[in-house]
Amino acid sequence: MTISVANGFTPFLAMLSASLLLDVVVRPRTRRIRRWQGLVLHSAVMTATFGLWLACSGNVLVAAVLATSLMALFTVASNAKHRMLGEPLIFSDLALIGAVVRHPRFYFTAIPVHQRGMLAIAASTALIVLVLLFSTQLHPHLIGVALLLFSGGALPFLLRSRRFDAVARAPDLANDLDRYGLLATLFRYWRRWRHTPDPQPWPPLGEIDDGAHPARPEVIVIVQCESFADP
């Protein structure tokens, strides 16, 4: 199936609109309208996601549904975390994907039963649709690659520009999420972390206290345990 401008643009526009509506329900939320920088970053990330799925499937409808489903998954996960722990999803939480597989009961109990059922149905449906509607034509896959490269390549240039460089200069998670939205905040915080230099190493503990004994350092031990851990 060859992608015409109209056939491709309509599912893309529907995907983008649905993702923005999903972003509306992300908590905490006090502002009625996100700032324009957040809307631009959100659109760029969703376009790259759409391009990735289009490159994989070659079908614009499948790409639109899967990109929207991924945004829905982030929304549900962020709201569940906010309800239980008082904070939304942050970029470092993505490192826990392996823990979700190893300890699914700990994470999925935070999601209401009806939402778990909806997620299971959506994941199964997405997999079936991806297999059944996979296109063997090269043209749509190349368009997906082009969208992915264009959007993914535009993001670093946007973030280095003067108007975007001022976004989220200091950590202020709740207010930044309220101002810019979930995807923009996740991506911006990740980029800030990547470009933050590592702190200088602590100087060696070789100083002498009274000429005979080395100075005793003050040691603080912090242990963080999840609910399934036994220290």
Side-chain angles (χ1 to χ4, degrees), residues 17-79:
S17 301
S19 70
L20 289 170
L21 289 175
L22 286 167
D23 188 61
V24 168
V25 301
V26 175
R27 298 292 180 263
R29 181 70 184 268
T30 58
R31 295 173 61 92
R32 297 181 63 183
I33 301 176
R34 306 290 194 198
R35 291 187 178 177
W36 68 269
Q37 295 98 326
L39 297 177
V40 171
L41 291 176
H42 176 99
S43 300
V45 172
M46 289 304 301
T47 301
T49 306
F50 176 84
L52 173 63
W53 289 120
L54 183 58
C56 294
S57 67
N59 188 300
V60 291
L61 292 176
V62 171
V65 170
L66 291 179
T68 305
S69 300
L70 190 60
M71 179 62 195
L73 179 62
F74 273 67
T75 300
V76 171
S78 183
N79 284 347

Side-chain angles (χ1 to χ4, degrees), residues 9 22 48 52 54 65 72 100 102 132 170 189 191 227:
F9 185 72
L22 286 167
L52 173 63
L54 183 58
V65 170
V100 174
R102 293 192 302 270
L132 294 179
Y189 273 48
R191 289 280 298 181
S227 299

Side-chain angles (χ1 to χ4, degrees), residues 28-31 34-35 88 168 170-181 185 189:
R29 181 70 184 268
T30 58
R31 295 173 61 92
R34 306 290 194 198
R35 291 187 178 177
D172 189 4
L173 182 58
N175 286 328
D176 285 334
L177 181 69
D178 198 28
R179 296 184 191 107
Y180 305 109
T185 303
Y189 273 48

Side-chain angles (χ1 to χ4, degrees), residues 12-197:
F12 170 78
L13 187 61
M15 175 276 302
L16 197 57
S17 301
S19 70
L20 289 170
L21 289 175
L22 286 167
D23 188 61
V24 168
V25 301
V26 175
R27 298 292 180 263
R29 181 70 184 268
T30 58
R31 295 173 61 92
R32 297 181 63 183
I33 301 176
R34 306 290 194 198
R35 291 187 178 177
W36 68 269
Q37 295 98 326
L39 297 177
V40 171
L41 291 176
H42 176 99
S43 300
V45 172
M46 289 304 301
T47 301
T49 306
F50 176 84
L52 173 63
W53 289 120
L54 183 58
C56 294
S57 67
N59 188 300
V60 291
L61 292 176
V62 171
V65 170
L66 291 179
T68 305
S69 300
L70 190 60
M71 179 62 195
L73 179 62
F74 273 67
T75 300
V76 171
S78 183
N79 284 347
K81 184 185 177 189
H82 182 263
R83 185 172 57 254
M84 289 194 66
L85 303 178
E87 70 172 15
L89 201 66
I90 56 177
F91 76 91
S92 58
D93 291 330
L94 301 181
L96 298 175
I97 293 177
V100 174
V101 177
R102 293 192 302 270
H103 308 282
R105 292 183 61 187
F106 171 72
Y107 293 95
F108 285 105
T109 50
I111 303 175
V113 176
H114 70 279
Q115 291 186 0
R116 275 181 272 169
M118 291 172 60
L119 286 174
I121 294 173
S124 303
T125 303
L127 181 60
I128 294 172
V129 169
L130 180 62
V131 173
L132 294 179
L133 298 182
F134 179 85
S135 174
T136 58
Q137 295 189 16
L138 184 61
H139 181 63
H141 295 275
L142 292 178
I143 293 177
V145 172
L147 278 175
L148 176 61
L149 293 178
F150 175 77
S151 301
L155 280 168
F157 290 100
L158 279 175
L159 294 176
R160 283 196 293 267
S161 65
R162 180 174 58 86
R163 291 185 177 274
F164 284 87
D165 186 60
V167 172
R169 278 192 171 275
D172 189 4
L173 182 58
N175 286 328
D176 285 334
L177 181 69
D178 198 28
R179 296 184 191 107
Y180 305 109
L182 179 61
L183 292 186
T185 303
L186 284 172
F187 188 76
R188 193 59 183 142
Y189 273 48
W190 174 75
R191 289 280 298 181
R192 289 291 189 200
W193 168 73
R194 289 284 297 173
H195 290 82
T196 300

